[in-house]
Amino acid sequence: MRNTLISLLLILPWLASAQDTIPSLSLDEAISYALEHNYSAINASRDILDAQKQKWETIATGLPQISGAVSYQNQLKQPVSQIPAEFFGGEPGTYQEVVFGQAQSMSATATLRQQIFDGSYIVGVQATKTFLEYSQNNKEKTALDVRKSVVEAYGNVLLAQESVLISERNKATLEENLYETKRIYENGLGDEESVDQLQITLSTVDNQLKNARRMEEITLQMLNLVLGLPIESPTVLTENLDDLTQRQIDLGLIDSEFNIENNVDYKMAANLNEQRFLELKLAKSRALPTLNAFVNYGGNSFSNNFTFLDSGQQWFGSSILGVDLNIPIFSSLGRSASTQRAKIALEKAKTQFTEAQAQIRLQLESAKSDYILAIEQYGTSKDNLELAERIEKKNQIKYSEGLATSFELRQAQTQLYSSQQEYLQSMVDVINKKTELENIINQ
């Protein structure tokens, strides 16, 4: 007993700590968490950092570049040359074999290069700014997609949880009805068909309950995945589906001013247009000359033995200052074809930009219509649910008094269950459709 108490005292703090780590999130908290921890959001932030590094990588190519080179040679067998022997006082017409230089040599050189003019470099620097803007726009689009995914996943979890609760209530009511009907039948006051009808309905509801419980687990795992949490994390949702739906009804959003330049798809289409323009400038810049300068300083040393690192070793210095000018003259119309292709790509991008603007405005009107319809269907399904509940309750009373058949009761119950699911789905639709509209407006 004492050991058990000691074990409990050791475990309880761990259990309390584990409970503290269970995420408990409202919808807004879930969105904020996902924007920081979602896998796609993390990589989108990395893309911006990569674009910044690429920008500096491009700029650095036009800044001074210093390189060094060291070369060592050891002539294992030196070449032999013949020169007239008379140079050394020998017989005319004869030759003397001689070896020039020493067997080993080493050279070291440092070179400074500076780009003076290159049209493609200027365009490249401009393109890095456009690419950085593209990465920022892509991060913004990713954030909107993550937000939409969180809202949908959060709503699906609430929908599954509500479905479980409703199915449990329906099952409990049916079990009570079936129990009473069996007793009536066993006492000879009812028919077997009534028992069978209720048994069929109960089996259907029981299957729905089992499926709802499975979906509750699956949808929670999907939400964890979107949030960037381990999928088995026991995340707790603090929102209520009905209250959340009421907060999402905002008819003023439909009449809000729309600035298409805030739309992320518009920004990305404009960005593509700018990229194609810069590609045309790049194609034209290839017809311009390039000018580069360089200066180097180096030394050479010679020896029959490896003494190049000794302090007394003699080195012979040299230095060169130079300029390289490269002038494109004739490319067999290759550069012209490249420029024409870039022009065609730019014209295509302009057409796509015009089309994108029309599509965005159409998406806006469609999203407004879908949002209004979702709100209307929510109100209708709520009224229909109240009617279905009254009809089912009246049939329950009639059935218990023998004024309605089991078939009529089953029809009323089936209608009620269908109305319940339609009502739950209508609430989720309101939440999702509002999110889609907000993503397009992107205020």
Side-chain angles (χ1 to χ4, degrees):
M1 181 68 179
R2 182 181 177 185
N3 291 336
T4 302
L5 288 174
I6 293 174
S7 299
L8 286 173
L9 289 173
L10 292 173
I11 292 174
L12 283 174
W14 179 84
L15 290 174
S17 175
Q19 290 177 352
D20 291 340
T21 60
I22 295 176
S24 180
L25 302 169
S26 66
L27 178 58
D28 291 338
E29 290 170 341
I31 293 172
S32 298
Y33 186 91
L35 291 177
E36 184 176 353
H37 298 91
N38 177 270
Y39 303 116
S40 297
I42 291 173
N43 281 337
S45 298
R46 288 171 177 160
D47 286 340
I48 291 181
L49 181 60
D50 180 73
Q52 291 171 341
K53 298 301 180 183
Q54 184 174 340
K55 179 180 179 180
W56 178 249
E57 180 183 358
T58 302
I59 293 173
T61 60
L63 300 179
Q65 308 289 317
I66 299 177
S67 61
V70 176
S71 176
Y72 166 74
Q73 292 184 356
N74 187 345
Q75 295 182 345
L76 300 178
K77 187 171 180 62
Q78 289 181 275
V80 176
S81 299
Q82 290 184 330
I83 61 175
E86 57 187 296
F87 289 170
F88 302 99
E91 295 271 344
T94 61
Y95 294 88
Q96 177 69 41
E97 297 177 353
V98 296
V99 175
F100 291 100
Q102 303 183 64
Q104 300 186 44
S105 63
M106 178 176 283
S107 63
T109 306
T111 303
L112 170 65
R113 299 182 184 275
Q114 173 61 56
Q115 185 180 92
I116 299 176
F117 176 79
D118 189 335
S120 62
Y121 171 75
I122 298 173
V123 178
V125 172
Q126 294 173 341
T128 57
K129 179 183 177 182
T130 303
F131 182 68
L132 181 58
E133 290 175 354
Y134 171 81
S135 299
Q136 292 169 341
N137 291 335
N138 184 63
K139 177 177 172 58
E140 183 178 353
K141 184 173 179 61
T142 300
L144 292 174
D145 290 340
V146 167
R147 181 176 181 272
K148 180 181 177 182
S149 298
V150 171
V151 171
E152 291 177 350
Y154 197 100
N156 288 337
V157 175
L158 294 179
L159 173 62
Q161 291 175 345
E162 291 291 338
S163 295
V164 169
L165 295 176
I166 290 176
S167 297
E168 287 175 344
R169 289 198 299 267
N170 293 339
K171 182 180 178 181
T173 301
L174 282 169
E175 286 175 339
E176 183 179 350
N177 290 342
L178 182 59
Y179 174 75
E180 293 176 354
T181 303
K182 280 184 176 180
R183 289 187 59 187
I184 294 173
Y185 170 68
E186 290 168 356
N187 292 329
L189 299 177
D191 56 62
E192 187 177 8
E193 182 183 352
S194 299
V195 177
D196 293 340
Q197 288 282 2
L198 286 173
Q199 185 63 57
I200 291 173
T201 307
L202 178 59
S203 298
T204 302
V205 171
D206 186 51
N207 288 335
Q208 292 174 347
L209 175 58
K210 292 177 182 177
N211 182 65
R213 286 172 175 164
R214 290 193 298 269
M215 290 305 299
E216 181 180 10
E217 181 178 354
I218 292 172
T219 53
L220 185 58
Q221 291 177 346
M222 292 177 64
L223 175 61
N224 286 334
L225 179 63
V226 174
L227 293 175
L229 290 168
I231 62 172
E232 301 299 336
S233 177
T235 308
V236 176
L237 277 59
T238 61
E239 298 277 11
N240 174 277
L241 184 57
D242 187 60
D243 293 340
L244 181 59
T245 303
Q246 293 294 331
R247 293 205 309 272
Q248 296 300 312
I249 297 177
D250 180 13
L251 294 176
L253 184 63
I254 297 172
D255 298 324
S256 61
E257 183 178 354
F258 175 59
N259 184 358
I260 194 171
E261 293 182 359
N262 291 333
N263 183 276
V264 68
D265 291 326
Y266 175 91
K267 294 178 183 178
M268 298 189 75
N271 186 262
L272 175 63
N273 220 38
E274 188 174 356
Q275 288 181 33
R276 294 294 179 263
F277 174 73
L278 290 173
E279 288 172 3
L280 176 59
K281 288 184 66 176
L282 178 62
K284 291 180 177 179
S285 71
R286 294 193 179 103
L288 300 175
T290 60
L291 182 63
N292 300 283
F294 69 92
V295 60
N296 69 11
Y297 181 82
N300 296 283
S301 183
F302 309 93
S303 177
N304 285 319
N305 299 306
F306 192 89
T307 58
F308 302 108
L309 303 180
D310 295 348
S311 60
Q313 180 68 24
Q314 187 176 12
W315 286 81
F316 304 94
S318 63
S319 180
I320 300 175
L321 172 66
V323 176
D324 294 328
L325 177 63
N326 183 14
I327 304 174
I329 297 175
F330 183 64
S331 65
S332 296
L333 300 180
R335 286 192 301 272
S336 176
S338 176
T339 303
Q340 293 302 317
R341 289 189 61 200
K343 284 182 180 179
I344 293 171
L346 176 58
E347 294 303 319
K348 288 174 62 178
K350 290 179 179 179
T351 301
Q352 291 171 351
F353 186 44
T354 302
E355 181 185 17
Q357 294 179 68
Q359 288 179 340
I360 292 169
R361 296 188 186 280
L362 182 59
Q363 289 172 2
L364 175 65
E365 296 305 317
S366 178
K368 286 181 178 180
S369 177
D370 290 343
Y371 182 47
I372 294 172
L373 177 60
I375 295 174
E376 292 173 345
Q377 287 182 331
Y378 167 66
T380 301
S381 61
K382 188 174 184 179
D383 294 338
N384 290 344
L385 178 59
E386 294 176 356
L387 293 173
E389 287 174 343
R390 287 205 300 267
I391 292 172
E392 193 271 345
K393 186 175 182 181
K394 289 178 182 178
N395 276 273
Q396 283 278 7
I397 297 172
K398 289 181 180 179
Y399 178 73
S400 63
E401 294 176 352
L403 300 177
T405 65
S406 58
F407 181 76
E408 291 172 330
L409 176 59
R410 185 170 185 270
Q411 279 187 317
Q413 290 172 332
T414 303
Q415 181 177 256
L416 173 62
Y417 304 153
S418 177
S419 298
Q420 289 170 339
Q421 291 303 315
E422 289 175 1
Y423 175 61
L424 292 178
Q425 187 60 52
S426 70
M427 289 192 285
V428 174
D429 288 343
V430 169
I431 298 170
N432 292 341
K433 296 304 180 183
K434 184 189 179 186
T435 303
E436 292 179 8
L437 179 56
E438 288 175 333
N439 281 4
I440 294 174
I441 297 175
N442 194 22
Q443 292 181 342

